[in-house]
Amino acid sequence: MNQSDLLAGHEGLLIVLSGPSGTGKGTLVKEISKKNDNIKLSVSVTTRIPRKGETDGESYFFVSEREFIRMRDNNELIEWVEYCGNHYGTPKQFIFDTVKKGYDIILDIEVEGARNFKSIFPQSVMIFVVPPSMEELRKRILKRGTESAETIEERLKRSKEEYNYIDHYEYLVVNDNLDKAVDDISSIIKAEKFSIKRMKKLPDKMGTGGSL
Ligand code: ADP
Ligand code: 5GP
């Protein structure tokens, strides 16, 4: 039985958000999970140094390289990646426990990890978020003020490469106005709830007199 089969029957949605660094993914997933009690945020582990304002266990689980490798080798991560010199990974147990309880989970992960995640959980809803322009992206990273000039350039270079993965996604959202982007993503999630292909059991032939 594969990992995806283990979840079959009673799961919530797995919603994967990717896009260039600085687009606003972190801001969006926080807003969306805050507004909807049924959507839980997947908290990744990382070896990155915490930014000002980030809390351990909320933004990320901040761990040493040694601990990250231990978790990876102990099969505690669903997917992992090295991104601009740091390791990032999705803890497995939370995903299984939470989705089985019927909650939807939203993940903010980069493109390679997202592709691996989708191969394990093909039912995932894949959303690619982009900024309105490259200039705006640069402005947002600068405004965040958390990276050195060198890291910013590395992230911008990586951003351009990330667009090559767009075919692995089902939806594209432009994060220009934050409230609108939150609404757009919420609409996608809502529409997915009505998807016939996701329904394990179809309703009876209502209103057709059984002649459907
Ligand atoms: P990411 O998680 O994609 O790297 P963040 O969520 O950290 O991006 O956002 C980067 C910066 O852009 C933050 O300072 C955030 O407040 C800001 N931001 C996010 N969305 C918008 C938006 N729609 N308009 C303007 N600024 C935004
Ligand atoms: P940041 O350092 O800006 O918080 O994150 C850098 C990149 O790592 C972002 O694109 C973010 O989506 C991605 N990321 C965060 N957590 C994970 C994870 O668990 N797995 C993968 N593959 N990417 C992650």
Side-chain angles (χ1 to χ4, degrees), residues 18-30 51 54 60 83 108 129 132 136-137 139-147 155 174-179 181:
S18 306
S21 177
T23 301
K25 304 177 301 292
T27 312
L28 286 166
V29 295
K30 254 187 245 144
R51 293 176 184 140
E54 284 185 330
Y60 281 104
Y83 177 95
D108 163 6
V129 187
E136 176 63 17
L137 183 66
K139 252 193 242 165
R140 285 185 195 171
I141 301 189
L142 287 170
K143 185 184 120 200
R144 189 168 65 190
T146 49
E147 275 86 24
R155 282 175 177 248
V174 181
N175 178 21
D176 189 353
N177 175 282
L178 185 68
D179 290 340

Coordinates of all heavy atoms in Angstrom, one line a residue, residues 18-30 51 54 60 83 108 129 132 136-137 139-147 155 174-179 181, ligand 1:
S18 N 3.4 27.2 -4.3 CA 4.8 27.5 -4.6 C 4.9 28.8 -5.4 O 3.8 29.4 -5.8 CB 5.4 26.4 -5.5 OG 5.3 25.2 -4.9
G19 N 6.1 29.3 -5.6 CA 6.3 30.5 -6.3 C 7.5 31.2 -5.9 O 8.1 30.8 -4.8
P20 N 8.0 32.2 -6.6 CA 9.3 32.9 -6.3 C 9.3 33.4 -4.9 O 8.3 33.9 -4.3 CB 9.3 34.0 -7.3 CG 8.4 33.6 -8.4 CD 7.4 32.8 -7.8
S21 N 10.5 33.4 -4.3 CA 10.7 33.9 -3.0 C 10.4 35.4 -3.0 O 10.8 36.1 -3.8 CB 12.2 33.7 -2.6 OG 12.5 34.3 -1.4
G22 N 9.6 35.8 -2.0 CA 9.2 37.2 -1.9 C 7.9 37.5 -2.5 O 7.4 38.6 -2.4
T23 N 7.3 36.5 -3.2 CA 6.0 36.7 -3.8 C 4.9 37.0 -2.8 O 3.9 37.7 -3.1 CB 5.6 35.4 -4.6 OG1 6.6 35.2 -5.6 CG2 4.2 35.6 -5.3
G24 N 5.0 36.4 -1.6 CA 4.0 36.6 -0.6 C 3.3 35.3 -0.2 O 2.3 35.3 0.5
K25 N 4.0 34.2 -0.5 CA 3.4 32.9 -0.1 C 3.2 32.7 1.4 O 2.1 32.3 1.8 CB 4.3 31.7 -0.6 CG 4.6 31.7 -2.1 CD 5.5 30.6 -2.4 CE 6.9 30.6 -1.7 NZ 7.8 31.7 -2.0
G26 N 4.2 33.1 2.1 CA 4.1 32.9 3.6 C 3.0 33.8 4.1 O 2.2 33.3 5.0
T27 N 2.9 35.0 3.6 CA 1.8 35.9 4.0 C 0.4 35.3 3.7 O -0.5 35.3 4.5 CB 2.0 37.3 3.4 OG1 3.3 37.7 3.5 CG2 1.0 38.3 3.9
L28 N 0.3 34.8 2.5 CA -0.9 34.2 2.0 C -1.4 33.0 2.8 O -2.5 33.0 3.2 CB -0.8 33.8 0.5 CG -0.8 35.0 -0.5 CD1 -0.3 34.5 -1.9 CD2 -2.1 35.6 -0.6
V29 N -0.4 32.1 3.0 CA -0.9 30.9 3.7 C -1.3 31.2 5.2 O -2.2 30.6 5.7 CB 0.2 29.7 3.7 CG1 0.4 29.2 2.3 CG2 1.5 30.1 4.3
K30 N -0.6 32.2 5.8 CA -1.0 32.6 7.1 C -2.4 33.2 7.1 O -3.2 32.8 8.0 CB 0.0 33.6 7.7 CG 1.0 33.0 8.7 CD 1.8 34.0 9.4 CE 3.3 33.8 9.0 NZ 4.1 34.9 8.8
R51 N 14.4 34.4 10.9 CA 14.3 35.9 10.7 C 13.7 36.6 11.9 O 13.0 35.9 12.7 CB 13.5 36.2 9.5 CG 14.0 35.7 8.2 CD 13.0 35.9 7.0 NE 13.5 35.3 5.8 CZ 12.7 34.7 4.9 NH1 11.4 34.6 5.1 NH2 13.3 34.2 3.8
E54 N 10.2 35.7 13.4 CA 9.8 34.3 13.2 C 9.9 33.5 14.5 O 10.8 33.7 15.3 CB 10.7 33.6 12.1 CG 10.4 34.0 10.7 CD 11.2 33.3 9.7 OE1 12.3 32.9 10.0 OE2 10.7 33.1 8.6
Y60 N 8.6 28.0 11.3 CA 9.3 26.8 11.0 C 9.6 26.1 12.3 O 9.6 26.7 13.3 CB 10.6 27.1 10.3 CG 10.6 27.5 8.8 CD1 10.7 28.8 8.4 CD2 10.5 26.5 7.9 CE1 10.6 29.2 7.1 CE2 10.4 26.8 6.5 CZ 10.5 28.2 6.1 OH 10.5 28.5 4.8
Y83 N 17.9 24.6 -0.6 CA 17.4 25.8 -1.3 C 18.3 27.0 -0.8 O 18.4 27.3 0.4 CB 16.0 26.1 -1.0 CG 15.4 27.4 -1.6 CD1 14.8 27.4 -2.8 CD2 15.6 28.6 -0.9 CE1 14.3 28.5 -3.3 CE2 15.1 29.8 -1.5 CZ 14.4 29.7 -2.7 OH 13.9 30.9 -3.2
D108 N 3.5 25.7 2.0 CA 4.3 26.7 1.3 C 5.7 26.1 1.0 O 6.5 26.1 1.9 CB 4.4 27.9 2.2 CG 5.5 28.9 1.8 OD1 6.1 28.7 0.7 OD2 5.6 29.9 2.5
V129 N 2.0 30.7 -7.3 CA 1.7 32.1 -7.1 C 2.8 33.0 -7.6 O 4.0 32.7 -7.4 CB 1.6 32.4 -5.5 CG1 1.1 33.8 -5.3 CG2 0.6 31.4 -4.9
P132 N 3.1 40.5 -9.4 CA 2.7 41.2 -10.6 C 3.8 41.5 -11.5 O 3.6 41.7 -12.7 CB 2.0 42.5 -10.1 CG 2.4 42.6 -8.6 CD 2.8 41.3 -8.1
E136 N 8.4 44.4 -8.8 CA 7.6 44.3 -7.5 C 8.2 43.2 -6.6 O 8.3 43.4 -5.4 CB 6.1 44.1 -7.8 CG 5.2 43.9 -6.6 CD 5.1 45.1 -5.7 OE1 5.5 46.2 -6.0 OE2 4.7 44.9 -4.5
L137 N 8.6 42.1 -7.2 CA 9.2 41.0 -6.4 C 10.5 41.5 -5.7 O 10.6 41.3 -4.5 CB 9.6 39.9 -7.4 CG 10.1 38.6 -6.7 CD1 9.1 38.0 -5.8 CD2 10.7 37.6 -7.7
K139 N 11.2 44.6 -5.0 CA 10.8 45.5 -3.9 C 10.3 44.8 -2.7 O 10.6 45.2 -1.6 CB 9.6 46.4 -4.5 CG 9.9 47.8 -4.8 CD 8.7 48.6 -5.0 CE 8.6 49.1 -6.5 NZ 7.3 49.6 -6.8
R140 N 9.6 43.7 -2.9 CA 9.0 43.0 -1.7 C 10.1 42.3 -0.9 O 10.1 42.4 0.3 CB 8.0 42.0 -2.1 CG 6.7 42.6 -2.5 CD 5.6 41.6 -2.8 NE 4.5 42.3 -3.5 CZ 3.5 41.6 -4.1 NH1 3.4 40.3 -4.1 NH2 2.5 42.4 -4.7
I141 N 11.1 41.8 -1.6 CA 12.2 41.1 -0.9 C 13.0 42.2 -0.1 O 13.4 42.0 1.0 CB 13.2 40.3 -1.8 CG1 12.4 39.3 -2.6 CG2 14.3 39.7 -1.0 CD1 13.3 38.3 -3.4
L142 N 13.2 43.3 -0.8 CA 14.0 44.4 -0.1 C 13.2 44.9 1.1 O 13.7 45.1 2.2 CB 14.2 45.6 -1.1 CG 15.3 45.3 -2.1 CD1 15.3 46.4 -3.2 CD2 16.7 45.1 -1.5
K143 N 11.9 45.1 0.9 CA 11.0 45.6 2.0 C 11.0 44.6 3.2 O 11.0 45.0 4.4 CB 9.6 45.8 1.5 CG 8.6 46.4 2.5 CD 7.2 46.5 1.9 CE 6.3 45.7 2.8 NZ 5.0 45.3 2.2
R144 N 11.1 43.3 2.9 CA 11.1 42.3 4.0 C 12.4 42.5 4.8 O 12.4 42.3 6.0 CB 11.0 40.9 3.4 CG 10.8 39.8 4.5 CD 10.4 38.5 3.8 NE 11.5 38.0 3.0 CZ 11.4 36.9 2.2 NH1 10.2 36.3 2.1 NH2 12.4 36.5 1.5
G145 N 13.4 42.9 4.1 CA 14.7 43.3 4.8 C 15.3 42.2 5.6 O 16.0 42.5 6.6
T146 N 15.2 40.9 5.2 CA 15.7 39.8 6.0 C 16.9 39.2 5.4 O 17.5 38.3 6.0 CB 14.6 38.8 6.2 OG1 14.0 38.5 5.0 CG2 13.5 39.3 7.2
E147 N 17.2 39.5 4.1 CA 18.3 38.8 3.4 C 19.4 39.8 3.1 O 19.2 41.0 2.8 CB 17.8 38.1 2.1 CG 17.2 36.7 2.3 CD 15.8 36.8 2.7 OE1 15.1 37.8 2.3 OE2 15.3 35.8 3.3
R155 N 18.3 34.4 -4.6 CA 16.9 34.1 -4.6 C 16.2 34.6 -5.9 O 15.3 33.9 -6.4 CB 16.2 34.7 -3.4 CG 16.5 33.8 -2.1 CD 15.9 34.4 -0.9 NE 16.2 33.5 0.3 CZ 15.3 32.8 0.9 NH1 14.0 33.0 0.7 NH2 15.6 32.0 1.9
V174 N -2.1 35.5 -9.3 CA -1.2 36.7 -9.2 C -1.4 37.4 -7.8 O -2.5 37.7 -7.5 CB -1.4 37.7 -10.3 CG1 -0.5 38.9 -10.3 CG2 -1.3 37.0 -11.7
N175 N -0.3 37.5 -7.0 CA -0.5 38.2 -5.8 C -0.2 39.6 -5.9 O 1.0 40.1 -5.7 CB 0.4 37.5 -4.7 CG 0.3 38.3 -3.3 OD1 -0.7 39.0 -3.1 ND2 1.2 38.1 -2.5
D176 N -1.2 40.4 -6.4 CA -1.0 41.8 -6.6 C -1.6 42.5 -5.4 O -0.9 42.9 -4.4 CB -1.7 42.3 -7.9 CG -1.3 43.7 -8.3 OD1 -0.7 44.4 -7.4 OD2 -1.7 44.2 -9.3
N177 N -2.9 42.5 -5.3 CA -3.6 42.9 -4.1 C -3.8 41.7 -3.2 O -4.3 40.6 -3.6 CB -5.0 43.5 -4.5 CG -5.8 43.8 -3.3 OD1 -6.4 42.9 -2.6 ND2 -5.9 45.1 -3.0
L178 N -3.3 41.8 -1.9 CA -3.3 40.7 -1.0 C -4.7 40.1 -0.8 O -4.9 38.8 -0.9 CB -2.6 41.1 0.3 CG -2.4 39.9 1.3 CD1 -1.4 38.9 0.8 CD2 -2.0 40.5 2.7
D179 N -5.7 40.9 -0.5 CA -7.0 40.4 -0.2 C -7.6 39.7 -1.4 O -8.2 38.6 -1.2 CB -7.9 41.6 0.2 CG -7.6 42.2 1.5 OD1 -6.9 41.5 2.3 OD2 -8.0 43.4 1.8
A181 N -5.9 38.1 -3.7 CA -5.2 36.8 -3.9 C -5.7 35.8 -2.8 O -5.9 34.6 -3.1 CB -3.7 37.0 -3.7
Ligands
ADP1 P1 7.4 34.5 0.4 O1 6.9 33.7 1.6 O2 6.8 34.2 -0.9 O3 8.9 34.5 0.4 P2 6.5 36.8 2.1 O4 5.2 36.3 2.5 O5 7.6 36.7 3.1 O6 7.0 36.0 0.8 O7 6.3 38.3 1.6 C1 7.4 39.1 1.1 C2 7.1 40.5 1.5 O8 6.1 41.0 0.6 C3 6.7 40.7 2.9 O9 7.2 41.9 3.4 C4 5.1 40.8 2.8 O10 4.6 41.7 3.8 C5 5.0 41.5 1.4 N1 3.8 41.2 0.7 C6 3.1 40.0 0.6 N2 2.0 40.1 -0.2 C7 2.0 41.4 -0.6 C8 1.1 42.1 -1.5 N3 0.0 41.5 -2.1 N4 1.4 43.4 -1.7 C9 2.4 44.0 -1.2 N5 3.3 43.4 -0.3 C10 3.1 42.1 -0.1

